[in-house]
Amino acid sequence: MSQPHGPLHGVRVVACSTAQAGTVPYMLMADLGAEVIKIEVPGGGDNSRQSTVLPGMPSTYFETNNRGVKSVTLNLKEAEGRAILHKLVSRADIFGQNFRPGAAEKNGFGYDELRQLNPRLVYVSVSGYGPKGPHAALPGTDSMAQALGGIAQAYATPGEPLKTGIVSVADETCAILAFGGALSALTYARATGIGQKVDCSLLGGQIRLMGWTLTTAMWRNADPVTGQARITGTPDRPGISASFDDRDGKPLVFQLNGERPWREAMQALGFFDRLEAAGFANLGVIIGADDKRETLLRLLGELFATGPRDDWVERLRAADIVAAPINTLLEASNDPDVLANGYVAEVDYPQYGKRLKVHGSPWHFSETPAKIGVAPELGADNGDILGELGYSPAQIADLRARKIV
């Protein structure tokens, strides 16, 4: 029996993209069966090939963001290189780039030019700030978008300066939105024959990621209270999401909404009598009362510090309360639910003689499963792709000799 194709089998993508937000949308498409042709500079390729290279291993950065794609090298400063790109685009469904606004147009692959070659083309542009506004022409990075988009406050400690995080949250968020936007536009193009340009930005992704918490802040015209707990709701229906350390300093979190779950959770933990005596039999008393909020959190911190994390989490889960240990990145990669669902997988790298852990797929398709690939060597697919376009081996050798490919 032949292996099933991924759900995007038959979709053709050409990407003049680098870094993370510009490459991950198409890596995800490759996972799902699309043919993704990554255009790189002859001789050097994507600069990220040299990023975070561990001894005896490939670049974690390049590998994570470019697995499963095909590599074709083109010198787009030369007319012949641009002509080859145009041939690829003319048969593509999606084109992606993440240059500064205006740079693609300057170099011969702007939307208005490519749509003339392929009116059905979905053209995805990823930028730092968005296509409009006072800083649209500036370069953007993950840290910039985290700084401007509000996420630094999400994990802030009162009294401490805001800081951006070490995980590329803005890059990944933008990439996932670009992935969805591209496929939405592709659905329309296949139904109508009309392509379009899809603009996404690092900053726009962060604003969307802030969700209802940002809406609440805007409606109240006040920033949320930060720290170890998120207090929500009304006195009649209060909610809490809070993290605490156990007796060994290991952190955990629990979350609930309503007075009944509050009582059940505290009884399961053996905390209820102490809390009732302190005036916290009802969680709603802390809504709008900062002093009571702080007193309750301090008391809960003392109580959780009397026992082990695994026991607290087990008790809460047994009472049907949402609870979990707070994992480090390495702990997350070894979490039993992560492994059972294939969210982390293992891939063979024969050229390095290793089998390494990588991201699995976040999706499970019952009929068209995702397939995890590896990143290509620079220009690995030049011969095959150029051959498909009608170039002979002699012509390809000539293009290579003249550094067009």
Side-chain angles (χ1 to χ4, degrees):
M1 182 177 179
S2 62
Q3 287 292 104
H5 297 299
L8 295 184
H9 177 72
V11 174
R12 285 178 164 175
V13 182
V14 176
C16 291
S17 300
T18 60
Q20 188 168 352
T23 55
V24 169
Y26 315 112
M27 174 277 292
L28 293 173
M29 293 180 192
D31 275 3
L32 301 185
E35 180 188 58
V36 179
I37 298 173
K38 178 182 177 70
I39 306 301
E40 299 190 71
V41 178
D46 186 333
N47 288 335
S48 68
R49 285 181 174 275
Q50 309 307 319
S51 298
T52 319
V53 178
L54 303 178
M57 299 181 188
S59 161
T60 59
Y61 189 97
F62 187 81
E63 189 66 36
T64 302
N65 300 336
N66 295 278
R67 70 183 188 196
V69 310
K70 297 179 179 181
S71 174
V72 169
T73 54
L74 290 178
N75 183 351
L76 297 178
K77 294 181 179 179
E78 297 291 337
E80 285 179 279
R82 293 193 297 273
I84 295 171
L85 175 66
H86 289 172
K87 289 180 180 181
L88 291 171
V89 168
S90 67
R91 66 175 198 168
D93 298 293
I94 298 170
F95 176 83
Q97 60 89 3
N98 65 328
F99 290 80
R100 291 192 199 190
E105 290 76 9
K106 180 180 178 181
N107 289 283
F109 49 90
Y111 174 57
D112 288 336
E113 182 169 352
L114 297 190
R115 72 188 296 197
Q116 300 301 317
L117 301 170
N118 183 352
R120 300 170 61 96
L121 185 69
V122 172
Y123 185 109
V124 182
S125 176
V126 170
S127 63
Y129 294 82
K132 304 176 183 179
H135 302 116
L138 294 180
T141 66
D142 175 84
S143 293
M144 171 280 294
Q146 286 194 40
L148 291 177
I151 196 171
Q153 188 173 42
Y155 302 101
T157 300
E160 295 292 326
L162 298 181
K163 300 176 182 177
T164 58
I166 63 168
V167 176
S168 302
V169 177
D171 278 333
E172 286 291 321
T173 304
C174 179
I176 293 169
L177 292 174
F179 171 87
L183 295 184
S184 298
L186 180 59
T187 300
Y188 181 79
R190 289 189 163 179
T192 66
I194 302 172
Q196 61 185 301
K197 185 179 182 183
V198 180
D199 275 299
C200 297
S201 72
L202 300 174
L203 178 57
Q206 286 303 274
I207 296 300
R208 176 57 254 175
L209 186 62
M210 296 304 97
W212 68 268
T213 306
L214 176 59
T215 306
T216 303
M218 292 188 296
W219 289 11
R220 287 178 173 170
N221 197 32
D223 283 318
V225 177
T226 60
Q228 72 182 106
R230 177 172 57 186
I231 307 300
T232 59
T234 65
D236 293 331
R237 184 170 171 74
I240 182 172
S241 172
S243 56
F244 300 94
D245 291 343
D246 75 352
R247 67 186 181 191
D248 301 312
K250 294 180 179 179
L252 71 143
V253 66
F254 74 90
Q255 183 170 5
L256 57 83
N257 287 284
E259 292 293 4
R260 181 176 177 180
W262 167 252
R263 177 182 291 267
E264 291 173 348
M266 296 305 106
Q267 288 175 337
L269 293 166
F271 297 172
F272 186 75
D273 289 346
R274 284 281 305 277
L275 294 171
E276 184 177 38
F280 297 111
N282 296 315
L283 179 61
V285 299
I286 70 171
I287 301 298
D290 290 346
D291 55 339
K292 291 184 178 179
R293 176 182 186 273
E294 294 305 317
T295 299
L296 173 61
L297 294 177
R298 186 165 51 251
L299 178 55
L300 286 172
E302 294 171 0
L303 293 169
F304 276 109
T306 63
R309 176 172 71 178
D310 289 349
D311 181 50
W312 297 138
V313 171
E314 184 178 346
R315 290 192 192 194
L316 288 166
R317 288 176 172 175
D320 204 28
I321 302 298
V322 175
I326 298 177
N327 285 335
T328 64
L329 283 174
L330 192 58
E331 288 171 338
S333 73
N334 291 299
D335 186 274
D337 289 291
V338 170
L339 297 176
N341 286 287
Y343 300 144
V344 165
E346 292 187 349
V347 171
D348 289 318
Y349 289 87
Q351 68 272 44
Y352 297 96
K354 290 181 171 63
R355 184 172 177 83
L356 299 172
K357 282 187 172 183
V358 298
H359 286 271
S361 175
W363 302 287
H364 289 164
F365 291 88
S366 63
E367 305 300 326
T368 55
K371 182 179 179 181
I372 307 304
V374 297
E377 295 296 322
L378 180 63
D381 301 284
N382 282 356
D384 289 343
I385 299 300
L386 292 174
E388 290 177 10
L389 294 178
Y391 291 87
S392 68
Q395 288 174 314
I396 296 171
D398 176 62
L399 290 169
R400 185 177 294 113
R402 291 187 292 116
K403 295 182 170 41
I404 302 300
V405 302

